[in-house]
Amino acid sequence: MTQRVATCSCRQLMLRTTEEPLRVSICHCHACQRRTGSVFGVQARFREGSVVIRGHATAYVRRGDTGQSATFHFCPVCGSTLYYRLDSVEGLIGVPVGAFANPSFPAPNISVFEECMHPWVALPGEIEHVE
């Protein structure tokens, strides 16, 4: 059985999953750029039933570029976002891939909001492009 552990920077908040991600995506939307402080976000989606969360989180609801809402859960001590739920997709939890701190984590297989992508970003050739 696969087990993956994601933590915030101070390790007060932890998430463990026992399944492979359903999808790993790169999102170039402006909201993800602001959330991560980078030019895109990379996140993995898991079935909620395969995830155990320990520690205390603070929630922040934001409206994305599509107008739909997402609730981000971050550590109130260090500020790291550890997971989120999309209002439009029930039963799934998104986790920023960097929270796993594991270079062998599966590569992204889909890229979204490429109209916001910085022109110097190069993507893997086999990635699916969704507008």
Side-chain angles (χ1 to χ4, degrees):
M1 172 172 42
T2 299
Q3 179 172 287
R4 298 185 188 282
V5 176
T7 66
C8 65
S9 293
C10 71
R11 299 180 190 260
Q12 179 278 132
L13 185 57
M14 182 273 292
L15 178 148
R16 186 182 72 234
T17 182
T18 54
E19 293 181 347
E20 288 296 319
L22 300 171
R23 140 181 169 164
V24 180
S25 61
I26 296 173
C27 182
H28 303 276
C29 80
H30 294 130
C32 280
Q33 290 180 29
R34 288 184 192 96
R35 176 181 58 82
T36 64
S38 186
V39 297
F40 53 78
V42 181
Q43 49 280 322
R45 288 186 187 174
F46 298 92
R47 286 182 327 101
E48 196 164 357
S50 75
V51 172
V52 174
I53 299 165
R54 300 229 191 288
H56 300 286
T58 299
Y60 173 71
V61 178
R62 76 157 164 89
R63 191 170 300 277
D65 288 357
T66 64
Q68 301 214 7
S69 295
T71 303
F72 290 84
H73 300 267
F74 62 93
C75 175
V77 177
C78 68
S80 301
T81 298
L82 189 65
Y83 64 98
Y84 67 90
R85 290 183 173 94
L86 299 170
D87 292 348
S88 61
V89 184
E90 289 195 33
L92 298 181
I93 290 183
V95 183
V97 170
F100 291 100
N102 181 346
S104 65
F105 198 89
N109 52 9
I110 190 166
S111 175
V112 298
F113 285 99
E114 290 184 349
E115 64 272 14
C116 301
M117 184 170 71
H118 289 234
W120 50 265
V121 171
L123 299 173
E126 65 279 358
I127 200 163
E128 179 183 351
H129 304 275
V130 176
E131 294 183 22

